[in-house]
């Protein structure tokens, strides 16, 4: 996606050759025009798969996911990272380890909003190790819901997330694929 690639090159900064900071348009500041284009692109790619719900994990997945849900004409369900005091329903939970941030969290969703009838599309901002997506898979398995695709805004192809999800049989569609952040420079997979 041209606009996304342009913004990454213009405003992205590299942290220790492993992490791409995109705070100005995705993780802190959010560019609404970009989110609209992202949502349209995912909705076109994942059309005609019988998807009845888009899911994501708070917080940075929400903006691209809500626009995807809008363009698909289906609701969005946001998985929480901790049990809220106000969440009194019966819950489904699994522990996820974030390697990038070196913390564990409880991926949490209410049974009220996810059923065995659901056929979901998972949208997230970054794909690195794939731990978050595998946590989502474990939650879906607990209710018997189906996942018909994974849409990622920025994938780091030098980390194993995509390969692991592919091995599990999932179709992963990433809008920007970063092959390397070596020498503090962004190299897209298509550039090499
Ligand atoms: P995973 O996302 O593939 O499971 O990998 P990992 O466990 O390594 O990443 C955990 C968190 O770090 C996720 O955010 C993920 O989006 C973020 N992350 C991974 N690589 C990068 C990167 O290169 N740049 C940026 N900006 N973020 C990265 P999170 O904890 O869910 O945070 P948030 O959604 O609340 O922002």
């Amino acid at each position: 996606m041209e606009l996304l690639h342009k913004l990454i090159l213009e405003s992205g900064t590299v942290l220790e050759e492993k992490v791409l900071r995109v705070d100005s348009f995705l993780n802190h500041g959010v560019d609404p025009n970009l989110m609209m284009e992202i949502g349209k692109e995912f909705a076109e790619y994942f059309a005609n798969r019988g998807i009845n719900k888009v899911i994501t994990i708070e917080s940075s997945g929400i903006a691209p996911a809500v626009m995807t849900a809008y363009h698909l004409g289906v609701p969005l369900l946001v998985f929480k990272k901790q049990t809220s005091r106000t969440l009194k329903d019966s819950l489904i939970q699994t522990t996820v380890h974030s390697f990038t941030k070196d913390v564990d969290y409880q991926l949490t969703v209410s049974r009220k909003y996810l059923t065995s009838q659901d056929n979901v599309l998972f949208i997230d901002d970054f794909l690195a190790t794939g731990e978050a997506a595998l946590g989502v898979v474990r939650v879906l398995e607990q209710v018997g819901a189906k996942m018909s695709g994974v849409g990622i805004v920025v994938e780091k192809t030098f980390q194993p997330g995509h390969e692991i999800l592919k091995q599990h049989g999932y179709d992963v569609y990433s809008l920007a694929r970063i092959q390397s952040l070596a020498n503090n420079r962004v190299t897209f997979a298509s550039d090499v």
Side-chain angles (χ1 to χ4, degrees), residues 112-142:
K112 206 161 128 187
Y113 300 116
L114 195 65
T115 74
S116 60
Q117 305 303 305
D118 284 323
N119 176 19
V120 307
L121 168 63
F122 173 53
I123 300 290
D124 213 355
D125 58 333
F126 271 89
L127 179 60
T129 63
E131 286 298 309
L134 291 175
V136 164
V137 168
R138 290 196 296 277
V139 166
L140 296 176
E141 280 172 355
Q142 287 189 51

Side-chain angles (χ1 to χ4, degrees), residues 18-23 27 57-61 81 96-101 103 105 124-134 154 156 158-159 161 181:
K18 268 200 333 223
V19 170
L20 175 70
R21 293 200 59 168
V22 283
D23 287 354
N27 291 139
I57 303 175
E58 63 179 353
S59 57
S60 298
K81 283 191 180 143
V96 172
H97 180 71
S98 160
F99 282 98
T100 306
K101 296 183 177 169
V103 289
Y105 62 87
D124 213 355
D125 58 333
F126 271 89
L127 179 60
T129 63
E131 286 298 309
L134 291 175
V154 184
K156 293 186 289 184
F158 58 90
Q159 292 188 273
L181 294 173

Side-chain angles (χ1 to χ4, degrees), residues 7-135:
L7 286 170
I8 289 173
L9 291 176
E10 279 175 9
S11 327
T13 53
V14 179
L15 214 64
E16 293 170 6
E17 307 205 327
K18 268 200 333 223
V19 170
L20 175 70
R21 293 200 59 168
V22 283
D23 287 354
S24 64
F25 59 90
L26 184 59
N27 291 139
H28 197 22
V30 176
D31 182 328
N33 290 318
L34 176 68
M35 296 307 134
M36 193 64 137
E37 273 204 27
I38 286 172
K40 205 159 162 251
E41 178 73 22
F42 282 142
E44 277 170 16
Y45 183 85
F46 291 108
N48 306 318
R49 297 195 190 193
I51 288 159
N52 74 323
K53 204 167 273 179
V54 172
I55 60 170
T56 191
I57 303 175
E58 63 179 353
S59 57
S60 298
I62 295 175
V66 75
M67 295 322 300
T68 306
Y70 172 81
H71 284 286
L72 280 171
V74 300
L76 168 67
L77 178 63
V78 179
F79 284 30
K80 307 276 190 179
K81 283 191 180 143
Q82 59 201 4
T83 313
S84 136
R85 279 167 187 241
T86 56
L87 205 55
K88 299 286 184 211
D89 307 324
S90 166
L91 303 175
I92 312 160
Q93 292 190 298
T94 189
T95 304
V96 172
H97 180 71
S98 160
F99 282 98
T100 306
K101 296 183 177 169
D102 196 23
V103 289
D104 284 348
Y105 62 87
Q106 285 296 308
L107 190 62
T108 302
V109 67
S110 162
R111 282 188 190 272
K112 206 161 128 187
Y113 300 116
L114 195 65
T115 74
S116 60
Q117 305 303 305
D118 284 323
N119 176 19
V120 307
L121 168 63
F122 173 53
I123 300 290
D124 213 355
D125 58 333
F126 271 89
L127 179 60
T129 63
E131 286 298 309
L134 291 175

